[in-house]
Amino acid sequence: MRERRSGFDLDWWLLAIVLTICLVGLLEIYSSTHGSSLHGMQWKQLTWIAIGLAGMLILSRIDYNTLLDQSLVLYLVCIGALILDLAAGHSRFGARRWVAIGGVDLQVSELAKLIIIIVLARYFSEVRTERLTLADLVKVGLVVGVPAGLVLLQPDLGTAMVLFPVAVVGAFLAGINWKHAVAVVALGSLVAVAGWNGHFLKPYQKQRLSTFLNPAENPRGAGYQILQSEIAVGSGGFWGKGFGKGSQNQLGFVPVRYSDFILAALAEEQGFFGVLLVILLYLALLLRLVDNAQKAKDRAGMYIVMGVAAILAFHVLVNAGMVIGYMPVTGIPLPFMSYGGSSTIFGFLALGLVMNVRTKRFVN
């Protein structure tokens, strides 16, 4: 069959949903920072979106089979970049996770998300048995565990956690024995306990993980972010206080209200109704990704798209849970809404992979 590959053969519905989410984010960033020293961040975010869109279009034109063929090289580059980042990256807020590229600081760990999606897509697509063996699961665990461990050393617990949903979703799609699944969960629990009792987590990370269960115990310290966020969400009611009229938001009580806690700022100003619309947008985004996965021409394409869906879904679930106090604060942004160059560019590059798979759906 003739290859249908056109610069216009994109999933326009998917792109429209994402750009709508971006627009909501820009408006809330403007509202959150207007009149403060942070005023103008919406223009920087608009720049990240434009760069991300350009990156998406470029990546959508590179045959994903070429990326799959080079997955080992990409993985080694990823590991090398993470090690270099630990040795010579820029420190900020107590973490060493940024490198300067073209005068702009970007997080290498965001690149790791894309490469893990590609590497695992190739691995799972080449498994020919009906069920994954225990050896397969060990290999997948090592493939994800090495970069996750390096990211954790930065330290960046949130991004380290984000790498694992790709493996979990891929393993279930590839076929996993339930006994093996139970064994993996048990092993993961043991590693988590060892990490908690050992030196893998910083004291402030342990405090964040434990404080969300009862933030009122330390309202001026570790519980401050969660309590202020919950106050903002609750005070918005059903319809919200109105654009630019959220007192928790405007007076700066909501922490990083333009980034990780942007959903709390939105809830205060637009209420439950506004949040519901945004959640529906994310649901529509995930459904479009699943639709693209089903239409992929091969298993590798399907795994790539589902890997993107797994990461975005994990971001939304953890961020929303964090804002309402059901998840610990781990610094995971809301995709396409939160301010941030690295996360925004990663989001659009991930969409570029999806568009790439979509353009090949009619190719034999």
Side-chain angles (χ1 to χ4, degrees):
M1 183 179 293
R2 186 172 63 88
E3 179 179 350
R4 297 184 186 179
R5 189 176 185 187
S6 159
F8 298 101
D9 186 22
L10 302 176
D11 186 341
W12 293 105
W13 279 110
L14 179 63
L15 191 56
I17 293 167
V18 168
L19 291 178
T20 303
I21 295 173
C22 288
L23 177 60
V24 175
L26 286 170
L27 292 172
E28 204 52 54
I29 291 169
Y30 168 79
S31 174
S32 301
T33 58
H34 182 67
S36 73
S37 59
L38 300 172
H39 179 61
M41 294 184 79
Q42 70 276 6
W43 298 116
K44 291 183 180 178
Q45 180 67 6
L46 190 59
T47 303
W48 299 131
I49 292 171
I51 294 173
L53 279 168
M56 181 197 76
L57 291 174
I58 293 171
L59 194 53
S60 69
R61 305 294 292 179
I62 301 173
D63 192 331
Y64 68 86
N65 290 298
T66 302
L67 299 174
L68 293 171
D69 290 342
Q70 300 301 320
S71 59
L72 177 58
V73 175
L74 291 173
Y75 186 75
L76 294 176
V77 169
C78 169
I79 298 300
L82 288 172
I83 293 173
L84 184 64
D85 196 17
L86 279 173
H90 293 181
S91 290
R92 193 185 296 172
F93 309 123
R96 188 180 291 276
R97 66 182 72 157
W98 286 271
V99 293
I101 299 176
V104 178
D105 287 344
L106 296 173
Q107 295 184 45
V108 177
S109 53
E110 296 292 337
L111 177 66
K113 296 178 187 175
L114 284 177
I115 292 177
I116 286 297
I117 290 172
I118 294 168
V119 172
L120 290 186
R122 175 169 177 177
Y123 185 84
F124 286 127
S125 64
E126 291 181 347
V127 173
R128 296 303 174 194
T129 55
E130 186 177 347
R131 299 279 182 186
L132 292 174
T133 63
L134 195 56
D136 290 324
L137 294 177
V138 171
K139 290 176 184 175
V140 169
L142 289 174
V143 166
V144 179
V146 172
L150 291 171
V151 173
L152 191 60
L153 289 175
Q154 292 182 348
D156 187 352
L157 175 62
T159 302
M161 291 166 54
V162 168
L163 299 179
F164 287 95
V166 184
V168 172
V169 170
F172 276 94
L173 290 173
I176 184 170
N177 185 305
W178 284 105
K179 292 180 180 177
H180 292 164
V182 171
V184 169
V185 171
L187 179 62
S189 301
L190 288 175
V191 171
V193 171
W196 182 271
N197 294 323
H199 301 286
F200 293 107
L201 297 179
K202 302 288 183 183
Y204 77 89
Q205 290 175 319
K206 293 182 179 180
Q207 196 171 34
R208 280 182 172 183
L209 291 173
S210 59
T211 297
F212 88 99
L213 296 172
N214 189 6
E217 281 188 350
N218 192 2
R220 295 181 181 276
Y224 178 82
Q225 291 178 311
I226 296 176
L227 287 175
Q228 294 301 323
S229 176
E230 289 177 346
I231 292 171
V233 172
S235 65
F238 189 83
W239 296 109
K241 298 176 178 175
F243 184 72
K245 297 179 180 177
S247 55
Q248 288 290 113
N249 183 22
Q250 298 300 318
L251 296 177
F253 288 108
V254 178
V256 282
R257 56 201 182 277
Y258 50 88
S259 182
D260 293 353
F261 284 86
I262 196 169
L263 194 62
L266 178 79
E268 185 184 24
E269 298 194 344
Q270 306 304 325
F272 175 78
F273 183 73
V275 173
L276 180 62
L277 291 180
V278 167
I279 295 299
L280 289 176
L281 283 171
Y282 279 112
L283 180 60
L285 167 62
L286 294 174
L287 289 176
R288 288 299 304 180
L289 290 176
V290 172
D291 180 65
N292 276 289
Q294 291 175 329
K295 293 176 179 173
K297 70 159 187 166
D298 53 25
R299 285 161 51 89
M302 182 270 291
Y303 283 118
I304 286 176
V305 180
M306 289 307 294
V308 173
I311 283 186
L312 294 181
F314 187 78
H315 267 262
V316 174
L317 286 173
V318 174
N319 185 277
M322 175 184 78
V323 164
I324 58 176
Y326 281 89
M327 288 280 187
V329 177
T330 50
I332 293 180
L334 198 58
F336 305 111
M337 261 190 76
S338 294
Y339 174 85
S342 299
S343 63
T344 302
I345 292 174
F346 157 75
F348 279 102
L349 290 177
L351 285 186
L353 286 178
V354 175
M355 301 295 184
N356 193 322
V357 172
R358 178 183 173 81
T359 60
K360 304 294 187 303
R361 66 192 186 281
F362 296 119
V363 179
N364 287 326

